[in-house]
Amino acid sequence: MSANSQSTIALHILSRIRYELDRSDIYISSEVIARSVNTNPVFIRRILSALNKAGLVQVRRGSVNGGWKLAKEAGDITLLDVYDAVNGGPLQELHHSEPNDNCPVGRGIKPTLKLYYDQAEQAFRNQLATTTLETVYQDIMERA
């Protein structure tokens, strides 16, 4: 089972859009972003659509001057905003089918794990809420 990389791709996309702000105030195409991510523009557009729905980016239609840009300042976008825009669901899932209620382990496993998973998820969300896209972008530029 592999980890979900949509938040990582979304942050790459947003950072690439942020990079354009240092060069100009133009909209950037999904094709240019896709080259940076090294993936298909259709995949990029799916993630951009989720980011747009969350109010993090805006689109301008058109083949000449069309594209995407940030809808907010990079310092106003947290990693939690990005995570919530592209990930639907908890970090850890419980059983997909009900455990055997006649077994003591089966009866107690879900409420026990839910407690621990909820605590871990809250810590994760709190951490993401403290970091902005601008912080990530500045770190990227220092390492580039």
Short mmCIF file of all heavy atoms in Angstrom, two decimals, residues 62-120:
data_model
loop_
_atom_site.label_atom_id
_atom_site.label_comp_id
_atom_site.label_asym_id
_atom_site.label_seq_id
_atom_site.Cartn_x
_atom_site.Cartn_y
_atom_site.Cartn_z
N GLY A 62 -8.60 30.58 -21.49
CA GLY A 62 -8.04 31.13 -22.72
C GLY A 62 -6.74 30.46 -23.07
O GLY A 62 -5.96 30.09 -22.20
N SER A 63 -6.49 30.32 -24.35
CA SER A 63 -5.27 29.62 -24.79
C SER A 63 -4.05 30.53 -24.83
O SER A 63 -2.93 30.04 -24.77
CB SER A 63 -5.49 28.99 -26.16
OG SER A 63 -5.83 29.98 -27.10
N VAL A 64 -4.25 31.84 -24.89
CA VAL A 64 -3.10 32.74 -24.99
C VAL A 64 -2.66 33.22 -23.60
O VAL A 64 -1.52 33.01 -23.21
CB VAL A 64 -3.43 33.95 -25.90
CG1 VAL A 64 -2.26 34.91 -25.93
CG2 VAL A 64 -3.78 33.48 -27.30
N ASN A 65 -3.52 33.85 -22.87
CA ASN A 65 -3.16 34.39 -21.55
C ASN A 65 -3.83 33.65 -20.41
O ASN A 65 -3.90 34.14 -19.30
CB ASN A 65 -3.55 35.88 -21.48
CG ASN A 65 -2.72 36.71 -22.42
OD1 ASN A 65 -1.53 36.49 -22.58
ND2 ASN A 65 -3.36 37.68 -23.07
N GLY A 66 -4.33 32.46 -20.69
CA GLY A 66 -5.02 31.69 -19.67
C GLY A 66 -4.04 31.01 -18.72
O GLY A 66 -2.85 30.97 -18.95
N GLY A 67 -4.58 30.48 -17.66
CA GLY A 67 -3.77 29.73 -16.72
C GLY A 67 -4.25 29.90 -15.31
O GLY A 67 -5.41 30.24 -15.05
N TRP A 68 -3.33 29.70 -14.39
CA TRP A 68 -3.63 29.65 -12.96
C TRP A 68 -2.76 30.62 -12.20
O TRP A 68 -1.62 30.85 -12.57
CB TRP A 68 -3.38 28.24 -12.45
CG TRP A 68 -4.22 27.22 -13.14
CD1 TRP A 68 -3.92 26.57 -14.30
CD2 TRP A 68 -5.49 26.74 -12.74
NE1 TRP A 68 -4.92 25.71 -14.64
CE2 TRP A 68 -5.90 25.79 -13.69
CE3 TRP A 68 -6.32 27.02 -11.66
CZ2 TRP A 68 -7.12 25.12 -13.60
CZ3 TRP A 68 -7.53 26.35 -11.57
CH2 TRP A 68 -7.91 25.42 -12.53
N LYS A 69 -3.31 31.16 -11.12
CA LYS A 69 -2.51 31.95 -10.19
C LYS A 69 -3.08 31.79 -8.79
O LYS A 69 -4.19 31.29 -8.61
CB LYS A 69 -2.41 33.41 -10.61
CG LYS A 69 -3.63 34.24 -10.41
CD LYS A 69 -3.33 35.66 -10.88
CE LYS A 69 -4.09 36.68 -10.10
NZ LYS A 69 -3.69 38.05 -10.42
N LEU A 70 -2.30 32.19 -7.80
CA LEU A 70 -2.76 32.08 -6.42
C LEU A 70 -3.95 33.02 -6.19
O LEU A 70 -3.97 34.14 -6.69
CB LEU A 70 -1.64 32.44 -5.44
CG LEU A 70 -0.39 31.55 -5.44
CD1 LEU A 70 0.62 32.07 -4.43
CD2 LEU A 70 -0.76 30.11 -5.14
N ALA A 71 -4.91 32.56 -5.43
CA ALA A 71 -6.08 33.37 -5.10
C ALA A 71 -5.85 34.15 -3.80
O ALA A 71 -6.62 35.06 -3.49
CB ALA A 71 -7.32 32.49 -4.96
N LYS A 72 -4.80 33.78 -3.07
CA LYS A 72 -4.44 34.43 -1.81
C LYS A 72 -2.94 34.64 -1.78
O LYS A 72 -2.21 34.04 -2.56
CB LYS A 72 -4.79 33.54 -0.60
CG LYS A 72 -6.21 33.14 -0.45
CD LYS A 72 -6.30 32.21 0.77
CE LYS A 72 -7.71 31.84 1.11
NZ LYS A 72 -7.77 31.03 2.33
N GLU A 73 -2.50 35.43 -0.85
CA GLU A 73 -1.06 35.56 -0.62
C GLU A 73 -0.53 34.21 -0.12
O GLU A 73 -1.20 33.51 0.64
CB GLU A 73 -0.78 36.63 0.44
CG GLU A 73 -1.18 38.03 0.03
CD GLU A 73 -0.30 38.57 -1.07
OE1 GLU A 73 0.91 38.28 -1.09
OE2 GLU A 73 -0.84 39.29 -1.93
N ALA A 74 0.68 33.87 -0.53
CA ALA A 74 1.28 32.60 -0.13
C ALA A 74 1.42 32.50 1.40
O ALA A 74 1.34 31.41 1.96
CB ALA A 74 2.64 32.40 -0.79
N GLY A 75 1.58 33.62 2.06
CA GLY A 75 1.68 33.62 3.51
C GLY A 75 0.35 33.40 4.21
O GLY A 75 0.32 33.17 5.42
N ASP A 76 -0.73 33.43 3.45
CA ASP A 76 -2.06 33.20 4.01
C ASP A 76 -2.59 31.80 3.73
O ASP A 76 -3.71 31.47 4.11
CB ASP A 76 -3.06 34.23 3.47
CG ASP A 76 -2.74 35.64 3.93
OD1 ASP A 76 -2.13 35.80 5.01
OD2 ASP A 76 -3.09 36.59 3.19
N ILE A 77 -1.80 31.00 3.04
CA ILE A 77 -2.19 29.62 2.73
C ILE A 77 -1.37 28.68 3.61
O ILE A 77 -0.14 28.67 3.52
CB ILE A 77 -1.93 29.30 1.24
CG1 ILE A 77 -2.75 30.22 0.34
CG2 ILE A 77 -2.23 27.83 0.95
CD1 ILE A 77 -2.42 30.10 -1.14
N THR A 78 -2.04 27.92 4.45
CA THR A 78 -1.33 26.98 5.31
C THR A 78 -1.27 25.60 4.64
O THR A 78 -2.05 25.29 3.74
CB THR A 78 -2.00 26.82 6.69
OG1 THR A 78 -3.27 26.16 6.52
CG2 THR A 78 -2.18 28.17 7.38
N LEU A 79 -0.36 24.79 5.12
CA LEU A 79 -0.28 23.42 4.64
C LEU A 79 -1.58 22.67 4.96
O LEU A 79 -1.98 21.79 4.21
CB LEU A 79 0.92 22.69 5.23
CG LEU A 79 2.22 22.83 4.44
CD1 LEU A 79 2.68 24.26 4.30
CD2 LEU A 79 3.30 21.97 5.04
N LEU A 80 -2.24 23.04 6.03
CA LEU A 80 -3.53 22.43 6.36
C LEU A 80 -4.58 22.79 5.31
O LEU A 80 -5.38 21.94 4.92
CB LEU A 80 -3.99 22.84 7.76
CG LEU A 80 -5.30 22.21 8.23
CD1 LEU A 80 -5.21 20.69 8.25
CD2 LEU A 80 -5.66 22.74 9.62
N ASP A 81 -4.57 24.03 4.83
CA ASP A 81 -5.49 24.42 3.76
C ASP A 81 -5.30 23.53 2.54
O ASP A 81 -6.27 23.07 1.92
CB ASP A 81 -5.26 25.88 3.34
CG ASP A 81 -5.55 26.89 4.43
OD1 ASP A 81 -6.43 26.64 5.28
OD2 ASP A 81 -4.88 27.95 4.42
N VAL A 82 -4.05 23.30 2.19
CA VAL A 82 -3.72 22.49 1.02
C VAL A 82 -4.13 21.04 1.25
O VAL A 82 -4.78 20.41 0.41
CB VAL A 82 -2.22 22.59 0.68
CG1 VAL A 82 -1.86 21.69 -0.50
CG2 VAL A 82 -1.83 24.04 0.42
N TYR A 83 -3.79 20.52 2.41
CA TYR A 83 -4.14 19.13 2.75
C TYR A 83 -5.65 18.93 2.68
O TYR A 83 -6.13 17.98 2.06
CB TYR A 83 -3.60 18.79 4.14
CG TYR A 83 -3.98 17.41 4.59
CD1 TYR A 83 -3.27 16.29 4.15
CD2 TYR A 83 -5.07 17.19 5.43
CE1 TYR A 83 -3.62 15.02 4.54
CE2 TYR A 83 -5.44 15.92 5.82
CZ TYR A 83 -4.71 14.83 5.37
OH TYR A 83 -5.07 13.57 5.75
N ASP A 84 -6.39 19.83 3.29
CA ASP A 84 -7.85 19.71 3.30
C ASP A 84 -8.44 19.83 1.89
O ASP A 84 -9.47 19.22 1.59
CB ASP A 84 -8.48 20.75 4.22
CG ASP A 84 -8.32 20.40 5.69
OD1 ASP A 84 -8.04 19.23 6.01
OD2 ASP A 84 -8.50 21.32 6.53
N ALA A 85 -7.80 20.61 1.03
CA ALA A 85 -8.31 20.80 -0.33
C ALA A 85 -8.20 19.53 -1.17
O ALA A 85 -9.06 19.28 -2.02
CB ALA A 85 -7.57 21.94 -1.02
N VAL A 86 -7.18 18.74 -0.96
CA VAL A 86 -6.93 17.60 -1.86
C VAL A 86 -7.08 16.22 -1.22
O VAL A 86 -7.08 15.22 -1.93
CB VAL A 86 -5.53 17.70 -2.53
CG1 VAL A 86 -5.45 18.94 -3.41
CG2 VAL A 86 -4.42 17.67 -1.52
N ASN A 87 -7.18 16.16 0.08
CA ASN A 87 -7.31 14.87 0.75
C ASN A 87 -8.68 14.76 1.39
O ASN A 87 -9.04 15.58 2.21
CB ASN A 87 -6.24 14.68 1.83
CG ASN A 87 -4.87 14.56 1.24
OD1 ASN A 87 -4.56 13.59 0.58
ND2 ASN A 87 -4.05 15.58 1.43
N GLY A 88 -9.40 13.74 1.04
CA GLY A 88 -10.72 13.57 1.61
C GLY A 88 -10.75 12.41 2.58
O GLY A 88 -10.88 11.29 2.18
N GLY A 89 -10.58 12.71 3.82
CA GLY A 89 -10.70 11.63 4.79
C GLY A 89 -9.61 11.65 5.83
O GLY A 89 -8.68 12.46 5.76
N PRO A 90 -9.75 10.77 6.78
CA PRO A 90 -8.79 10.72 7.89
C PRO A 90 -7.45 10.12 7.46
O PRO A 90 -7.34 9.48 6.42
CB PRO A 90 -9.48 9.81 8.91
CG PRO A 90 -10.38 8.94 8.10
CD PRO A 90 -10.81 9.78 6.93
N LEU A 91 -6.42 10.34 8.31
CA LEU A 91 -5.10 9.75 8.05
C LEU A 91 -5.16 8.23 8.10
O LEU A 91 -4.51 7.56 7.30
CB LEU A 91 -4.10 10.22 9.11
CG LEU A 91 -3.66 11.67 9.06
CD1 LEU A 91 -2.78 11.99 10.27
CD2 LEU A 91 -2.92 11.95 7.78
N GLN A 92 -5.87 7.71 9.04
CA GLN A 92 -5.99 6.26 9.23
C GLN A 92 -7.45 5.87 9.17
O GLN A 92 -8.29 6.50 9.79
CB GLN A 92 -5.40 5.84 10.58
CG GLN A 92 -3.92 5.97 10.69
CD GLN A 92 -3.20 4.91 9.87
OE1 GLN A 92 -3.75 3.91 9.45
NE2 GLN A 92 -1.93 5.16 9.61
N GLU A 93 -7.73 4.83 8.45
CA GLU A 93 -9.09 4.29 8.37
C GLU A 93 -9.23 3.14 9.35
O GLU A 93 -8.27 2.43 9.64
CB GLU A 93 -9.36 3.77 6.95
CG GLU A 93 -9.36 4.82 5.88
CD GLU A 93 -10.63 5.66 5.86
OE1 GLU A 93 -11.63 5.28 6.50
OE2 GLU A 93 -10.61 6.70 5.20
N LEU A 94 -10.44 2.98 9.84
CA LEU A 94 -10.76 1.80 10.64
C LEU A 94 -11.20 0.68 9.71
O LEU A 94 -11.17 0.85 8.49
CB LEU A 94 -11.85 2.16 11.67
CG LEU A 94 -11.41 3.16 12.74
CD1 LEU A 94 -12.59 3.59 13.59
CD2 LEU A 94 -10.31 2.59 13.61
N HIS A 95 -11.61 -0.42 10.25
CA HIS A 95 -12.03 -1.58 9.46
C HIS A 95 -13.08 -1.18 8.42
O HIS A 95 -13.95 -0.37 8.70
CB HIS A 95 -12.65 -2.65 10.36
CG HIS A 95 -11.74 -3.20 11.39
ND1 HIS A 95 -11.39 -2.52 12.52
CD2 HIS A 95 -11.11 -4.40 11.47
CE1 HIS A 95 -10.59 -3.25 13.26
NE2 HIS A 95 -10.40 -4.40 12.64
N HIS A 96 -13.01 -1.82 7.27
CA HIS A 96 -14.04 -1.60 6.25
C HIS A 96 -15.26 -2.47 6.51
O HIS A 96 -16.35 -2.16 6.05
CB HIS A 96 -13.49 -1.86 4.84
CG HIS A 96 -12.49 -0.82 4.43
ND1 HIS A 96 -12.87 0.46 4.09
CD2 HIS A 96 -11.15 -0.86 4.33
CE1 HIS A 96 -11.80 1.17 3.79
NE2 HIS A 96 -10.74 0.40 3.92
N SER A 97 -15.07 -3.55 7.23
CA SER A 97 -16.19 -4.38 7.66
C SER A 97 -16.15 -4.45 9.19
O SER A 97 -15.11 -4.26 9.81
CB SER A 97 -16.10 -5.78 7.05
OG SER A 97 -14.90 -6.41 7.45
N GLU A 98 -17.29 -4.71 9.77
CA GLU A 98 -17.37 -4.73 11.24
C GLU A 98 -16.64 -5.95 11.80
O GLU A 98 -16.86 -7.08 11.34
CB GLU A 98 -18.84 -4.77 11.69
CG GLU A 98 -19.56 -3.46 11.54
CD GLU A 98 -18.94 -2.35 12.38
OE1 GLU A 98 -18.62 -2.59 13.56
OE2 GLU A 98 -18.76 -1.24 11.84
N PRO A 99 -15.77 -5.73 12.80
CA PRO A 99 -15.12 -6.87 13.46
C PRO A 99 -16.15 -7.71 14.21
O PRO A 99 -17.27 -7.25 14.49
CB PRO A 99 -14.16 -6.20 14.44
CG PRO A 99 -14.02 -4.80 13.98
CD PRO A 99 -15.28 -4.45 13.28
N ASN A 100 -15.76 -8.90 14.56
CA ASN A 100 -16.63 -9.82 15.28
C ASN A 100 -16.89 -9.29 16.68
O ASN A 100 -15.98 -9.23 17.51
CB ASN A 100 -15.97 -11.20 15.33
CG ASN A 100 -16.85 -12.24 15.98
OD1 ASN A 100 -17.83 -11.92 16.64
ND2 ASN A 100 -16.47 -13.50 15.80
N ASP A 101 -18.13 -8.94 16.96
CA ASP A 101 -18.52 -8.38 18.26
C ASP A 101 -18.52 -9.44 19.37
O ASP A 101 -18.55 -9.11 20.55
CB ASP A 101 -19.91 -7.73 18.15
CG ASP A 101 -20.10 -6.61 19.13
OD1 ASP A 101 -19.09 -6.00 19.56
OD2 ASP A 101 -21.27 -6.33 19.47
N ASN A 102 -18.47 -10.73 18.99
CA ASN A 102 -18.41 -11.80 19.99
C ASN A 102 -17.00 -12.02 20.52
O ASN A 102 -16.81 -12.72 21.49
CB ASN A 102 -18.97 -13.11 19.40
CG ASN A 102 -20.45 -13.00 19.11
OD1 ASN A 102 -21.19 -12.38 19.88
ND2 ASN A 102 -20.87 -13.57 18.00
N CYS A 103 -16.02 -11.41 19.86
CA CYS A 103 -14.62 -11.53 20.28
C CYS A 103 -14.25 -10.28 21.08
O CYS A 103 -14.56 -9.16 20.66
CB CYS A 103 -13.74 -11.65 19.04
SG CYS A 103 -11.97 -11.52 19.38
N PRO A 104 -13.60 -10.43 22.24
CA PRO A 104 -13.22 -9.24 23.02
C PRO A 104 -12.34 -8.27 22.24
O PRO A 104 -12.49 -7.05 22.35
CB PRO A 104 -12.47 -9.82 24.23
CG PRO A 104 -12.81 -11.25 24.28
CD PRO A 104 -13.22 -11.67 22.90
N VAL A 105 -11.40 -8.79 21.45
CA VAL A 105 -10.55 -7.92 20.64
C VAL A 105 -11.39 -7.24 19.56
O VAL A 105 -11.30 -6.03 19.35
CB VAL A 105 -9.37 -8.70 20.02
CG1 VAL A 105 -8.60 -7.83 19.04
CG2 VAL A 105 -8.44 -9.23 21.12
N GLY A 106 -12.23 -8.01 18.89
CA GLY A 106 -13.10 -7.46 17.86
C GLY A 106 -14.03 -6.38 18.40
O GLY A 106 -14.30 -5.39 17.74
N ARG A 107 -14.52 -6.57 19.61
CA ARG A 107 -15.43 -5.62 20.25
C ARG A 107 -14.72 -4.33 20.64
O ARG A 107 -15.28 -3.25 20.56
CB ARG A 107 -16.08 -6.29 21.47
CG ARG A 107 -17.24 -5.60 22.05
CD ARG A 107 -18.00 -6.41 23.12
NE ARG A 107 -17.17 -7.20 24.02
CZ ARG A 107 -17.03 -8.54 23.98
NH1 ARG A 107 -17.67 -9.26 23.06
NH2 ARG A 107 -16.26 -9.17 24.84
N GLY A 108 -13.48 -4.42 21.07
CA GLY A 108 -12.78 -3.26 21.61
C GLY A 108 -11.82 -2.55 20.67
O GLY A 108 -11.38 -1.44 20.97
N ILE A 109 -11.51 -3.17 19.53
CA ILE A 109 -10.46 -2.60 18.67
C ILE A 109 -10.85 -1.25 18.07
O ILE A 109 -10.06 -0.31 18.06
CB ILE A 109 -10.04 -3.60 17.55
CG1 ILE A 109 -8.80 -3.11 16.81
CG2 ILE A 109 -11.17 -3.86 16.57
CD1 ILE A 109 -7.53 -3.38 17.50
N LYS A 110 -12.07 -1.12 17.55
CA LYS A 110 -12.44 0.13 16.88
C LYS A 110 -12.47 1.34 17.82
O LYS A 110 -11.86 2.36 17.51
CB LYS A 110 -13.78 -0.04 16.15
CG LYS A 110 -13.63 -0.84 14.87
CD LYS A 110 -14.95 -1.00 14.14
CE LYS A 110 -15.23 0.22 13.32
NZ LYS A 110 -16.40 0.03 12.43
N PRO A 111 -13.14 1.25 18.99
CA PRO A 111 -13.13 2.43 19.85
C PRO A 111 -11.73 2.77 20.38
O PRO A 111 -11.39 3.94 20.57
CB PRO A 111 -14.09 2.08 20.99
CG PRO A 111 -14.35 0.63 20.90
CD PRO A 111 -14.00 0.19 19.52
N THR A 112 -10.91 1.74 20.58
CA THR A 112 -9.55 1.98 21.07
C THR A 112 -8.70 2.68 20.00
O THR A 112 -8.08 3.71 20.27
CB THR A 112 -8.89 0.66 21.49
OG1 THR A 112 -9.67 0.07 22.53
CG2 THR A 112 -7.47 0.88 21.96
N LEU A 113 -8.69 2.13 18.80
CA LEU A 113 -7.88 2.73 17.74
C LEU A 113 -8.40 4.10 17.34
O LEU A 113 -7.60 4.99 17.02
CB LEU A 113 -7.82 1.80 16.52
CG LEU A 113 -7.01 0.53 16.71
CD1 LEU A 113 -7.00 -0.29 15.43
CD2 LEU A 113 -5.60 0.82 17.19
N LYS A 114 -9.71 4.30 17.37
CA LYS A 114 -10.27 5.61 17.04
C LYS A 114 -9.71 6.68 17.96
O LYS A 114 -9.34 7.78 17.52
CB LYS A 114 -11.79 5.59 17.11
CG LYS A 114 -12.40 6.93 16.73
CD LYS A 114 -13.88 6.87 16.59
CE LYS A 114 -14.55 8.17 16.23
NZ LYS A 114 -13.78 9.36 16.06
N LEU A 115 -9.58 6.39 19.23
CA LEU A 115 -9.02 7.33 20.20
C LEU A 115 -7.59 7.71 19.81
O LEU A 115 -7.25 8.89 19.71
CB LEU A 115 -9.03 6.74 21.61
CG LEU A 115 -8.30 7.53 22.68
CD1 LEU A 115 -9.05 8.82 22.98
CD2 LEU A 115 -8.13 6.69 23.93
N TYR A 116 -6.75 6.71 19.54
CA TYR A 116 -5.35 6.99 19.18
C TYR A 116 -5.23 7.67 17.83
O TYR A 116 -4.43 8.60 17.66
CB TYR A 116 -4.52 5.70 19.22
CG TYR A 116 -4.40 5.14 20.61
CD1 TYR A 116 -4.91 3.89 20.91
CD2 TYR A 116 -3.78 5.86 21.63
CE1 TYR A 116 -4.80 3.36 22.20
CE2 TYR A 116 -3.68 5.35 22.90
CZ TYR A 116 -4.19 4.09 23.19
OH TYR A 116 -4.09 3.58 24.45
N TYR A 117 -5.99 7.22 16.86
CA TYR A 117 -5.95 7.83 15.54
C TYR A 117 -6.42 9.28 15.58
O TYR A 117 -5.84 10.15 14.92
CB TYR A 117 -6.82 7.05 14.55
CG TYR A 117 -6.27 5.69 14.16
CD1 TYR A 117 -7.05 4.80 13.44
CD2 TYR A 117 -4.98 5.27 14.49
CE1 TYR A 117 -6.58 3.56 13.06
CE2 TYR A 117 -4.51 4.03 14.13
CZ TYR A 117 -5.30 3.18 13.41
OH TYR A 117 -4.84 1.95 13.03
N ASP A 118 -7.47 9.56 16.34
CA ASP A 118 -7.97 10.93 16.46
C ASP A 118 -6.91 11.85 17.08
O ASP A 118 -6.72 12.98 16.64
CB ASP A 118 -9.25 10.99 17.28
CG ASP A 118 -10.46 10.45 16.54
OD1 ASP A 118 -10.36 10.17 15.32
OD2 ASP A 118 -11.52 10.29 17.19
N GLN A 119 -6.21 11.36 18.10
CA GLN A 119 -5.15 12.16 18.73
C GLN A 119 -4.01 12.42 17.75
O GLN A 119 -3.50 13.55 17.66
CB GLN A 119 -4.62 11.45 19.98
CG GLN A 119 -5.61 11.42 21.12
CD GLN A 119 -5.14 10.54 22.28
OE1 GLN A 119 -4.12 9.85 22.20
NE2 GLN A 119 -5.89 10.57 23.37
N ALA A 120 -3.60 11.40 17.02
CA ALA A 120 -2.52 11.56 16.04
C ALA A 120 -2.93 12.51 14.93
O ALA A 120 -2.14 13.38 14.51
CB ALA A 120 -2.12 10.20 15.47
#
